[in-house]
Amino acid sequence: MGFYGPEPFDTAEATYVWTGLRTPGFFRVTVKGNAPNFTTGITLVRDPHFVGGLAIDVMGWTGPIGKGQRSYTVSGSFNGMYLPKILIVGSNKRLLVDVKEIPFTSEDDYVKHLSAEAKELEPA
């Protein structure tokens, strides 16, 4: 039987995409790591109880627990006002990540880049 909980991660990066003047943009967060074998459904979840910024939990379903690990990469988008740093929380650490900014003028190029990445990951 599997259980839902925090997963370990190695690296995290965050980008903020400005969507216009006086309008909130969104954060694009990517996390890479190695999870125990038989781990599925790894997602990034906004912590609704975190006060004073943005905290993202790395969550997944693990079980039954087996030997070994598998690598993973997961990304997520979160709406909000710009913050210079956000907190990424996993089972092995809490990491304060510097946020890179994408200006409004290059937003379309960035969204096209994300769409192209998503198409590459789709199964044939």
Side-chain angles (χ1 to χ4, degrees), residues 26-71:
F26 65 92
F27 294 89
R28 179 72 177 176
V29 180
T30 301
V31 173
K32 295 179 182 181
N34 292 293
N37 275 339
F38 307 110
T39 298
T40 60
I42 297 175
T43 58
L44 301 178
V45 180
R46 181 182 215 139
D47 183 346
H49 305 291
F50 186 76
V51 178
L54 177 62
I56 304 297
D57 298 325
V58 182
M59 303 293 286
W61 289 92
T62 301
I65 296 177
K67 293 182 181 178
Q69 297 180 335
R70 70 170 186 86
S71 62

Side-chain angles (χ1 to χ4, degrees), residues 1 22 24 52 59 62 66 74 84 102 106 110:
M1 177 177 193
R22 296 181 203 90
M59 303 293 286
T62 301
V74 64
I102 301 290
S106 59
Y110 184 70

Side-chain angles (χ1 to χ4, degrees), residues 72-84:
Y72 71 89
T73 300
V74 64
S75 296
S77 296
F78 305 92
N79 294 330
M81 299 300 287
Y82 173 76
L83 297 166

Side-chain angles (χ1 to χ4, degrees), residues 12-19 25-31 44 54 56 75-86 88 97-104 106-107 110-111 113-114 117:
E13 62 182 41
T15 303
Y16 187 80
V17 180
W18 290 94
T19 56
F26 65 92
F27 294 89
R28 179 72 177 176
V29 180
T30 301
V31 173
L44 301 178
L54 177 62
I56 304 297
S75 296
S77 296
F78 305 92
N79 294 330
M81 299 300 287
Y82 173 76
L83 297 166
K85 295 180 183 289
I86 63 171
I88 309 296
V97 176
D98 291 323
V99 176
K100 295 178 240 163
E101 296 178 68
I102 301 290
F104 174 66
S106 59
E107 171 200 2
Y110 184 70
V111 171
H113 171 72
L114 291 179
E117 274 186 1

